Amino acid sequence: MSEKVTAMIEEIKGLTVLELSELVHALEEEFGVSAAAMAAPAAEEKTDFDVVLAGFDAAAKIKVIKVVREITGQGLAEAKATVEGAPSTLKEAVSKDEAEALKKQIEEAGGKVELK
């Protein structure tokens, strides 16, 4: 911070509550702004999801590899590396419905999925 700003902050720290209130109102009028906290925008519902293989049941590894191959279009060696390298992102920016369907498919095969 510049010395000028630091000096202003120190000066403001010395104001009484009434003086601080007057300062805020004067600044609002001078610059045509409001010091009121802005309302946070309503949280928009997320529409794009990433499907991430978080892990898998060791006994179901082959089933999970088959499902990953089907979903990603990878070859056997690539799908095996993807599964063994979990957590791995399988699909990015898919719709909620597609993400839920993929999650169900992977979990039925023995995988653990996170939607981000």
Side-chain angles (χ1 to χ4, degrees):
M1 253 186 281
S2 71
E3 288 182 31
K4 193 173 186 179
V5 172
T6 304
M8 292 170 80
I9 290 173
E10 290 303 316
E11 186 72 27
I12 290 170
K13 284 181 182 178
L15 297 177
T16 65
V17 175
L18 182 59
E19 291 170 330
L20 187 56
S21 175
E22 289 175 2
L23 174 62
V24 169
H25 291 297
L27 290 172
E28 287 176 333
E29 285 183 26
E30 180 69 27
F31 297 106
V33 296
S34 173
M38 295 182 64
E44 294 181 25
E45 186 174 335
K46 190 171 178 170
T47 57
D48 291 340
F49 294 86
D50 292 346
V51 179
V52 178
L53 177 66
F56 59 93
D57 180 10
K61 182 177 177 180
I62 293 172
K63 290 179 187 175
V64 175
I65 291 171
K66 286 180 181 179
V67 172
V68 168
R69 280 187 70 190
E70 184 180 317
I71 290 170
T72 63
Q74 295 176 328
L76 181 60
E78 294 168 308
K80 182 177 184 264
T82 298
V83 171
E84 290 175 344
S88 306
T89 302
L90 302 178
K91 288 275 190 168
E92 294 181 337
V94 296
S95 70
K96 184 176 183 177
D97 291 339
E98 183 179 354
E100 289 292 338
L102 294 173
K103 179 179 179 181
K104 182 179 178 191
Q105 188 178 3
I106 295 165
E107 287 179 343
E108 286 175 354
K112 295 173 184 68
V113 178
E114 293 176 1
L115 301 181
K116 295 184 178 184

